[in-house]
Amino acid sequence: MNASTAVDTQSQDASSARALAKVLIARAAKRDRSGSDVTSATVYVACETAYRAISRCIGESGAKALLSRALADANKTHPLLRNIRLDVPDDTPLAALTRASASKGSAPSAEGLEALLEMMITLLARFVGIDMVVQLVAENATVGTLEHEDPQ
Amino acid sequence: MTMKKARAKVLDPLSNDGIPSIASGVPGFDAVVGGGLPEFSFNLIAGNPGSGKTTLAQQIMFANASVKRPALYFSVLGEPTLKMLRYQRGFSFFDPRLVGTAIQYINLSEEALEQDLTRMLDRIASEVERVSPGMVVVDSFRTMLGRSGDAVSSGLTNMENFIQRLALNLNAWEVTTLIIGQSAEQDQRNPIFTVADSVFWLSQVTDRNSVVRKMQALKVRGRSSMPGLHTFRITSAGLQIFPRIPEQQSERRPPSMRRLSSGIPGLDEAMGGGVFAGDAVLLGGPAGSGKTTFATQFAAEGLRVGEAVVIVVFEEYPEEYLARAKARNQDIAAMIEARNFRLIYLRPLDLSVDETAAEIFAAVTEIGATRVVIDSLSGFQIALAPAFRIDFQESLYRLVGALTSTGVTIFMTTEITSGYPDASLTSERVSFITDDIIVQRFVEIDGELRTVLAVPKMRGSKHSHDLLTYIITDQGAVVGGPLRSYRGILTGSPEFQPQLARGGRDGLTDRESAVLETLVRLGATSRDTLAEHVGVQPLELEATLRRLALLGYAVVTRTGGDTYRAIAQVET
């Protein structure tokens, strides 16, 4: 893969990660019936769903490591995320996200959490490909949205 | 999303023991196991790191998982799941679309780190209950039990207890289980070897510069598995196992009475009328003696009469080999295009005989070949990994036996390197495998290098005991008659003995000499007239006249019917 192809692939992955994050948030919104008004609580639910799915597959330690890296990358563009601390003893990553979703007003929190979710998906996709992330995180609910073909 | 196809297959609805078998999806694996994994069995895949355990388990899982009967893959400690997925997805069997639905990856590292086996067992049980999988993989067993292998848990007193409960639990849910282990051989006293229905051992052996992978079915409960070590290769398609060719279980089929033409003028007569169908023929000779020419003529003759042919080459590149074959056998190009021909080119230096055999069998089956040419055994031996060269004789015996038992006629060449006067007629190490043996030699006569051959062995048939001359012409090899006037031919420097001359011409049979004499006497004449003077039927003269023409003793003119004439230098 040359540099140009690598950039294209990364760009496609980022775009797909964004789409997948949107799908997860839409699913969460549908579940809590918040309609088009996406709150930080809704995005938190999407993050929680993704985190739990990832954690189930790669383990709690692996998921936490991935979240830490995603947080480090995402807070460059969303300073609000700097308040999230994953290294607090007896605290879980999800509890830290819950607190973040409840602070600084709903809209900025929602934006920050969405960026975090997107980054987590992007990082995961770099390892195993966006197609497998779709399967791991969203399973079949997003297949139609991301234009996946039916196997066999 | 709907999965249209239930991927699990039942190979044999009810095997001998009444238990359905599951197709593994791994080429060669089911043959070794004795028909596939028994349904709901508890299986151990053991071996050293890097031997292919995880890939084998994944391959079986992907071949069998469906949305209706998913597979659960429990990772414990060791290779991080993300990395495992990253590498495994490089295999063609790995279908990412099945992940998350038909195949679910579950990580048990937290439970394992706490060495809480009860919690681990509870987690496995709850996931199995929730998903109701058809298959469960646990990767790996050793890490599940901790480094020491001891079960340290409040609810479980020892490892045996844990394994027993795990097996019972999964069995109760009608799950086929694959446990991946990293057991060393001394661990075979480990209770899992007792509990497991099947134990598969993967290993890789380094010998000089080559690495050879082998699999052994140490135990397969309720199945007649294939004993021994089976080589396997890991490619982008996953594992492919090359089962050892089974020893012939029954008596060799009755010898065929049908003779095949070798396609080499004069050789069939020397062999008593041609090669018996289903025979293994060995042609030995020094470098440059025309072994490949003989072999390709044998193949071309098969194609000419409508048989399908496989040629296996090791030394020459296929393009060069075919170009030479086409130059000498002008019809062969069209015959090759007719799709009843395969050329297998094998040159890697880490082959196993079983892998080669698998290639040959696949080609033979695909085109229904009845002739196989192996050119040459010398190249074949060199292409093998060093570890297999020791077993070459035994492996070749199995290969030849398996092929000929199906009625395939094999023509093999081998290089004889020993010099005169100690040259043996055949390579002792392989001659016992063959039914028929032809040996070529160079001899020096009057300062000229000439070629002779002999047929020292022809199972179940009379054959020539003469040392016969042969030449390689533009159209291929032609076998002539004996060198009657010479003694000590096998020394390589025969002596002319005028008193031994019996009126025939050197290099011609008695009949050929008689026909040539008549032709000289009559001048240009038709076949029928010649036959009348010689006292044989015209058709019987066909082969004789063809050989006389190819050997340069006669020419044929095709104007107003075939006319034959002895050429000038012979007439004098």
Side-chain angles (χ1 to χ4, degrees):
Chain A
M1 188 188 294
N2 59 33
S4 163
T5 317
V7 169
D8 286 351
T9 307
Q10 282 186 6
S11 165
Q12 283 170 11
D13 280 356
S15 166
S16 300
R18 197 169 306 123
L20 178 56
K22 297 272 185 213
V23 168
L24 291 173
I25 292 165
R27 281 174 62 182
K30 197 174 173 186
R31 210 175 300 141
D32 71 8
R33 295 175 185 172
S34 57
S36 57
D37 182 21
V38 175
T39 63
S40 58
T42 307
V43 186
Y44 167 76
V45 171
C47 286
E48 183 194 28
T49 305
Y51 185 84
R52 285 193 194 285
I54 294 167
S55 176
R56 182 168 183 256
C57 173
I58 68 172
E60 184 74 25
S61 305
K64 189 176 174 184
L66 192 74
L67 181 63
S68 298
R69 166 78 199 280
L71 196 58
D73 285 358
N75 70 20
K76 289 173 191 163
T77 48
H78 290 82
L80 174 72
L81 296 173
R82 286 181 191 146
N83 299 326
I84 300 177
R85 304 284 306 214
L86 298 178
D87 54 357
V88 179
D90 301 325
D91 204 2
T92 64
L94 287 175
L97 294 185
T98 311
R99 282 194 298 277
S101 70
S103 65
K104 301 279 180 186
S106 185
S109 292
E111 260 181 48
L113 287 176
E114 186 175 337
L116 182 61
L117 176 60
E118 199 181 306
M119 187 53 72
M120 209 157 54
I121 293 167
T122 303
L123 291 174
L124 196 55
R126 281 187 204 156
F127 262 95
V128 296
I130 188 68
D131 54 348
M132 207 178 334
V133 179
V134 170
Q135 295 295 118
L136 287 173
V137 175
E139 299 187 17
N140 51 359
T142 56
V143 168
T145 316
L146 293 178
E147 298 177 352
H148 267 251
E149 290 173 7
D150 196 11
Q152 281 96 51
Chain B
M1 177 171 54
T2 56
M3 300 283 178
K4 291 172 190 162
K5 183 176 124 194
R7 293 164 68 89
K9 290 178 204 164
V10 173
L11 277 177
D12 179 5
L14 286 175
S15 61
N16 292 342
D17 54 12
I19 300 171
S21 298
I22 293 172
S24 65
V26 180
F29 183 87
D30 298 334
V32 170
V33 173
L37 286 174
E39 195 177 30
F40 313 144
S41 54
F42 189 80
N43 309 286
L44 174 67
I45 300 173
N48 297 323
S51 57
K53 303 179 297 295
T54 298
T55 307
L56 175 62
Q58 296 264 0
Q59 204 172 342
I60 295 172
M61 182 175 71
F62 271 89
N64 285 278
S66 65
V67 172
K68 199 175 171 188
R69 289 288 276 169
L72 293 182
Y73 192 101
F74 291 101
S75 303
V76 188
L77 290 175
E79 184 184 12
T81 311
L82 265 188
K83 278 194 175 176
M84 184 268 289
L85 290 173
R86 181 181 173 87
Y87 294 127
Q88 287 293 321
R89 76 162 300 160
F91 289 107
S92 58
F93 64 77
F94 192 102
D95 184 351
R97 296 171 300 179
L98 299 183
V99 175
T101 52
I103 293 172
Q104 298 183 24
Y105 290 93
I106 298 160
N107 194 287
L108 299 178
S109 56
E110 303 302 317
E111 290 85 349
L113 284 170
E114 289 171 20
Q115 294 199 315
D116 188 343
L117 290 178
T118 304
R119 203 178 136 206
M120 201 181 307
L121 199 57
D122 288 346
R123 176 86 191 276
I124 291 173
S126 71
E127 293 284 359
V128 168
E129 188 177 342
R130 188 174 69 80
V131 178
S132 187
M135 184 168 282
V136 161
V137 179
V138 180
D139 186 3
S140 73
F141 172 73
R142 170 166 277 203
T143 56
M144 181 190 273
L145 296 175
R147 185 168 293 180
S148 66
D150 294 329
V152 185
S153 169
S154 55
L156 296 164
T157 54
N158 56 41
M159 189 197 312
E160 200 164 0
N161 194 344
F162 172 76
I163 295 162
Q164 194 72 35
R165 290 179 62 183
L166 178 68
L168 287 172
N169 212 308
L170 293 170
N171 190 49
W173 283 93
E174 298 186 339
V175 169
T176 305
T177 306
L178 300 172
I179 304 284
I180 296 173
Q182 281 196 355
S183 310
E185 281 192 45
Q186 58 265 35
D187 288 348
Q188 288 186 25
R189 286 173 302 175
N190 188 312
I192 197 167
F193 283 85
T194 310
V195 174
D197 297 309
S198 312
V199 178
F200 305 109
W201 189 272
L202 306 185
S203 61
Q204 50 181 354
V205 182
T206 306
D207 188 354
R208 286 195 257 176
N209 292 329
S210 73
V211 174
V212 172
R213 295 178 186 274
K214 293 184 179 182
M215 187 193 102
Q216 184 180 11
L218 283 174
K219 164 188 178 184
V220 185
R221 212 167 258 155
R223 291 283 184 277
S224 176
S225 60
M226 202 182 285
L229 293 167
H230 312 274
T231 54
F232 70 92
R233 197 174 273 277
I234 302 178
T235 66
S236 60
L239 268 75
Q240 180 174 5
I241 291 152
F242 307 103
R244 292 175 80 236
I245 305 150
E247 306 288 344
Q248 280 177 249
Q249 299 296 316
S250 53
E251 283 182 21
R252 187 184 159 97
R253 65 177 177 74
S256 169
M257 287 297 109
R258 190 166 63 90
R259 298 268 194 170
L260 306 177
S261 173
S262 64
I264 300 150
L267 184 61
D268 294 346
E269 290 83 349
M271 297 180 83
V275 182
F276 285 118
D279 268 9
V281 184
L282 178 68
L283 170 66
S289 62
K291 295 183 294 296
T292 294
T293 306
F294 275 59
T296 50
Q297 270 176 268
F298 177 80
E301 176 64 14
L303 292 170
R304 193 185 66 77
V305 299
E307 293 183 60
V309 176
V310 171
I311 297 181
V312 192
V313 292
F314 297 91
E315 294 162 44
E316 277 189 274
Y317 287 105
E319 297 79 16
E320 293 166 14
Y321 192 91
L322 281 181
R324 261 192 328 143
K326 285 173 183 174
R328 291 218 169 98
N329 306 277
Q330 288 168 1
D331 298 334
I332 204 171
M335 293 169 191
I336 288 168
E337 296 305 316
R339 293 172 187 274
N340 54 353
F341 174 80
R342 287 284 179 284
L343 180 71
I344 300 174
Y345 170 64
L346 298 164
R347 200 160 180 151
L349 297 175
D350 61 350
L351 283 175
S352 74
V353 176
D354 297 333
E355 184 173 359
T356 312
E359 288 261 7
I360 297 172
F361 281 124
V364 165
T365 307
E366 188 186 342
I367 61 170
T370 47
R371 290 190 191 210
V372 170
V373 169
I374 298 176
D375 191 9
S376 68
L377 293 183
S378 322
F380 187 2
Q381 197 167 9
I382 289 167
L384 295 176
F388 294 119
R389 291 181 198 159
I390 303 160
D391 303 327
F392 182 65
Q393 189 180 350
E394 178 233 329
S395 305
L396 190 67
Y397 172 72
R398 288 186 282 114
L399 169 67
V400 169
L403 277 172
T404 54
S405 67
T406 62
V408 171
T409 310
I410 311 176
F411 195 99
M412 300 175 285
T413 64
T414 187
E415 188 173 331
I416 297 175
T417 52
S418 49
Y420 300 111
D422 300 324
S424 55
L425 277 180
T426 69
S427 166
E428 286 175 25
R429 292 184 302 163
V430 293
S431 57
F432 79 100
I433 295 166
T434 59
D435 300 297
D436 317 320
I437 296 174
I438 305 160
V439 183
Q440 298 170 326
R441 280 281 179 267
F442 285 117
V443 292
E444 182 258 310
I445 294 176
D446 299 333
E448 188 187 344
L449 202 57
R450 293 183 66 181
T451 43
V452 296
L453 64 76
V455 183
K457 178 179 176 183
M458 187 74 201
R459 195 171 278 164
S461 172
K462 287 182 178 175
H463 58 91
S464 168
H465 294 280
D466 289 324
L467 282 160
L468 304 168
T469 59
Y470 69 91
I471 57 168
I472 308 294
T473 71
D474 288 345
Q475 280 87 47
V478 183
V479 176
L483 287 168
R484 295 183 191 285
S485 319
Y486 291 85
R487 176 178 282 167
I489 294 168
L490 279 181
T491 65
S493 301
E495 289 175 16
F496 181 65
Q497 302 284 315
Q499 68 276 20
L500 293 178
R502 290 176 295 185
R505 286 171 188 272
D506 282 334
L508 295 184
T509 63
D510 290 346
R511 170 180 286 186
E512 286 160 357
S513 295
V515 170
L516 185 59
E517 294 299 335
T518 310
L519 205 51
V520 169
R521 202 171 66 247
L522 294 177
T525 186
S526 71
R527 185 193 63 179
D528 290 357
T529 308
L530 191 59
E532 199 178 312
H533 280 80
V534 176
V536 295
Q537 291 298 314
L539 276 177
E540 291 178 45
L541 272 186
E542 283 288 343
T544 306
L545 287 168
R546 189 169 161 229
R547 263 169 32 83
L548 285 175
L550 284 166
L551 289 167
Y553 285 111
V555 289
V556 58
T557 315
R558 301 191 188 282
T559 47
D562 289 355
T563 303
Y564 297 89
R565 185 172 60 79
I567 62 172
Q569 64 266 35
V570 175
E571 289 171 27
T572 59

